[in-house]
Structure formats: structure tokens, C-alpha cells
Amino acid sequence: MNDGHLIHTPWVLCFIWKAFHSIFNTDNNKNMAVQQQPTHVVTTATTMFHSHAGWSTDLCDCCSDMETCCCGFWCFPCLQCDTASKHGWCFCMPLLDFCCVVSCLLRGSIREKYYIPGSCCGDCCQLTWCYPCVWCQMNRELKIRAKQQPIQQVVTTQVITG
């Protein structure tokens, strides 16, 4: 009985060796198919403008832009719609401005875009006490910033393999 096991043992070892060698042999891996993974390319453009320490004009600086002041006095809803449109929002958003919510959001968005310091609380206080002046200031700011040339534009491309 011992002789039978000795005869089969080399055959089993040889079989295991060949199987092991075929799995981990690097020459066989060269012929393996490689499947390309799908990719997504995300491109982001960021434009930097000259930064001021704050708003370009004061809250009650209506005399610096009489066109904005007159538009705000004679047709305030037109001024609001024009301001929202200049910022890239839907022009009719200010018509839905209940409790100054849209005004606060727009002012915060303008501050964020142009790196103007301030807070939501400050915006709400100013809108509560001088609503038309705040809208005139936002309109003037967007006019002034539209005339400025960007100082730097950064384009970032990211490839995502999924």
C-alpha cells in the first residue's frame, strides 16, 4: 500500500506545480485582455477679479449712478429684475421676494462671487431698514464689476475613471 501512495505522489505534485505555474506565470499574463474603464472629464473655469475691501459704492451712494437711482425710484421692480438678470439669475426671481428671502440670497451670492466681506445677518438688517438702497447698491456693483477685466482665469480639468 505504501508503494501505491509513493507512485501517485509525484504525479499529484507535478499537477499542482503546473497549475500553480500557469496561474502565476507572467508570460501568460501578457496575453490577457485589458478592458478600458469608462472615463468622465470635468472641466471647471474660475475667474478671479480685482478684489475690493468691500462694496465698490456705499449703501446710500445714489448720486454716483443717477441711472440706477432713477430706475429704482420710478420703476423699482424693473431695477430688481435687471439686477437679478445681470447676476445670471432668472429675471423674475425678485418678484417672488417675500420677507426679503430672495434679496438676502442674491446679495449673499454677489458677495460670495466677488469676495466682498459681510454676513447674512448684516444683509438682512440692511434690507430691513433700507430695502431700495440695497437693491441700488447691488445693481451698481454688478455694473462696475461687469466693466472690470478679470485678472486671472484658472481652468481645471479632472479625469474621473469609473
Side-chain angles (χ1 to χ4, degrees):
M1 280 189 137
N2 252 350
D3 292 336
H5 288 288
L6 290 176
I7 294 172
H8 295 295
T9 304
W11 181 80
V12 171
L13 290 175
C14 183
F15 177 75
I16 292 172
W17 171 255
K18 284 185 179 182
F20 181 79
H21 185 66
S22 67
I23 292 172
F24 295 105
N25 188 1
T26 56
D27 293 336
N28 291 340
N29 290 340
K30 290 180 183 176
N31 297 328
M32 292 178 64
V34 175
Q35 183 178 2
Q36 181 68 30
Q37 297 294 321
T39 59
H40 303 284
V41 177
V42 178
T43 303
T44 306
T46 305
T47 305
M48 302 293 288
F49 291 92
H50 293 284
S51 180
H52 295 286
W55 294 90
S56 300
T57 60
D58 290 332
L59 188 63
C60 298
D61 199 6
C62 292
C63 294
S64 66
D65 183 4
M66 290 306 291
E67 179 186 355
T68 300
C69 183
C70 289
C71 184
F73 182 76
W74 296 109
C75 188
F76 186 66
C78 295
L79 174 76
Q80 289 178 299
C81 293
D82 181 54
T83 304
S85 178
K86 284 180 181 175
H87 189 58
W89 285 21
C90 176
F91 73 95
C92 63
M93 283 297 288
L95 302 177
L96 304 172
D97 194 17
F98 300 105
C99 301
C100 298
V101 173
V102 173
S103 298
C104 281
L105 293 173
L106 179 63
R107 190 167 174 87
S109 180
I110 292 171
R111 282 191 303 97
E112 183 179 323
K113 182 176 182 179
Y114 297 114
Y115 303 101
I116 299 171
S119 67
C120 184
C121 182
D123 294 343
C124 289
C125 288
Q126 289 176 342
L127 282 160
T128 300
W129 301 114
C130 200
Y131 188 76
C133 294
V134 171
W135 275 95
C136 288
Q137 183 187 33
M138 290 190 295
N139 190 284
R140 289 191 306 267
E141 189 71 29
L142 292 174
K143 279 183 177 180
I144 291 168
R145 299 291 180 144
K147 293 176 185 175
Q148 289 181 347
Q149 295 296 322
I151 55 171
Q152 178 183 18
Q153 185 166 8
V154 179
V155 178
T156 305
T157 304
Q158 180 181 11
V159 178
I160 302 168
T161 306

